[in-house]
């Protein structure tokens, strides 16, 4: 596959990373607001993905630019940042491991959101909280996969750019008669 094709695929995946990170920030921020509103300490399984989602917005913005406009070295920097984000989202998915149940009533995060609302005699919003927890877990897992893929693609793009640059320099040195 040509470097242009790899760049386009990488760029599209980075756009997905950016969109999913924005959705995650909004979802997790709402959950954190609910915990703070009811005076309950925010669980770390919300804080870690929130931090990495905010970082993902910044890093994805940089990486989107790096695909087409920046050189070999910055492609490798983007690959390293993707690897760091992969590790962060992997840690987030491990923290959320207890929330992968088929039956949502067994998810501790959903139960905490519903129970604190019931304790204050507010409507529990069971379906809404179930959907939010499933969205959180699903998008974190998707981000793990996407950042792993872009780590590999960024290295391939950087290698292709280096090969093309080396070929171009060799061709410039030749004199045609």
């Amino acid at each position: 596959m040509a470097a242009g094709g790899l760049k386009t695929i990488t760029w599209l995946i980075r756009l997905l990373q950016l969109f999913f990170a924005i959705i995650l920030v909004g979802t997790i921020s709402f959950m954190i607001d609910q915990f703070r509103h009811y005076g309950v300490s925010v669980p770390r399984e919300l804080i870690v993905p929130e931090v990495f989602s905010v970082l993902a917005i910044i890093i994805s913005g940089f990486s989107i630019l790096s695909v087409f406009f920046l050189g070999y070295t910055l492609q490798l920097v983007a690959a390293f940042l993707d690897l760091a984000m992969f590790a962060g989202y992997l840690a987030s998915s491990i923290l959320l491991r207890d929330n992968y149940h088929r039956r949502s009533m067994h998810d501790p995060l959903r139960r905490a959101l519903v129970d604190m609302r019931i304790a204050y005699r507010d409507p529990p919003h069971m379906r809404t909280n179930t959907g939010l927890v499933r969205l959180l877990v699903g998008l974190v897992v998707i981000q793990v996969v996407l950042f792993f893929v872009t780590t590999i693609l960024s290295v391939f793009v950087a290698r292709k750019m280096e090969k093309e640059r080396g070929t171009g320099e060799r061709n410039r040195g030749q004199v045609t008669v």
Side-chain angles (χ1 to χ4, degrees):
M1 182 180 283
L6 279 176
K7 286 181 179 183
T8 303
I9 291 170
T10 304
W11 186 77
L12 290 172
I13 293 173
R14 290 190 188 288
L15 277 178
L16 286 174
Q17 290 171 342
L18 179 64
F19 294 148
F20 292 156
I22 291 169
I23 294 168
L24 276 169
V25 166
T27 303
I28 297 169
S29 295
F30 174 76
M31 289 182 187
I32 289 172
D33 179 64
Q34 290 295 298
F35 277 98
R36 288 190 177 150
H37 175 73
Y38 292 106
V40 179
S41 65
V42 179
R44 69 175 184 239
E45 58 257 20
L46 287 179
I47 294 172
V48 173
E50 175 84 351
V51 167
F52 281 101
S53 294
V54 169
L55 289 173
I57 292 171
I58 297 165
I59 290 172
S60 293
F62 164 76
S63 297
I64 286 170
L65 292 175
S66 75
V67 171
F68 286 109
F69 304 116
L70 303 176
Y72 168 76
T73 305
L74 291 176
Q75 285 294 330
L76 291 179
V77 169
F80 175 74
L81 292 174
D82 284 341
L83 183 63
M85 293 307 301
F86 165 72
Y89 274 118
L90 187 62
S92 298
S93 68
I94 291 169
L95 286 173
L96 289 165
R97 71 185 175 280
D98 294 330
N99 295 289
Y100 290 97
H101 295 285
R102 173 176 254 173
R103 294 182 163 261
S104 60
M105 64 183 163
H106 299 297
D107 295 339
L109 189 56
R110 180 227 174 238
R111 231 176 320 144
L113 288 165
V114 169
D115 289 348
M116 67 185 176
R117 292 184 70 83
I118 290 173
Y120 282 90
R121 294 191 174 100
D122 286 342
H125 298 295
M126 289 185 196
R127 289 183 188 213
T128 303
N129 289 324
T130 298
L132 287 174
V133 171
R134 286 185 177 174
L135 178 67
L136 167 66
V137 168
L139 286 180
V140 165
V141 170
I142 289 171
Q143 289 287 69
V144 168
V145 172
L146 290 179
F147 276 102
F148 179 73
V149 168
T150 55
T151 300
I152 294 169
L153 285 175
S154 293
V155 171
F156 282 140
V157 167
R159 290 181 69 199
K160 288 254 186 206
M161 288 175 71
E162 183 65 18
K163 284 180 184 177
E164 288 174 1
R165 190 176 91 185
T167 304
E169 287 176 359
R170 272 187 264 138
N171 289 341
R172 259 188 273 142
Q174 296 176 356
V175 178
T176 57
V177 182

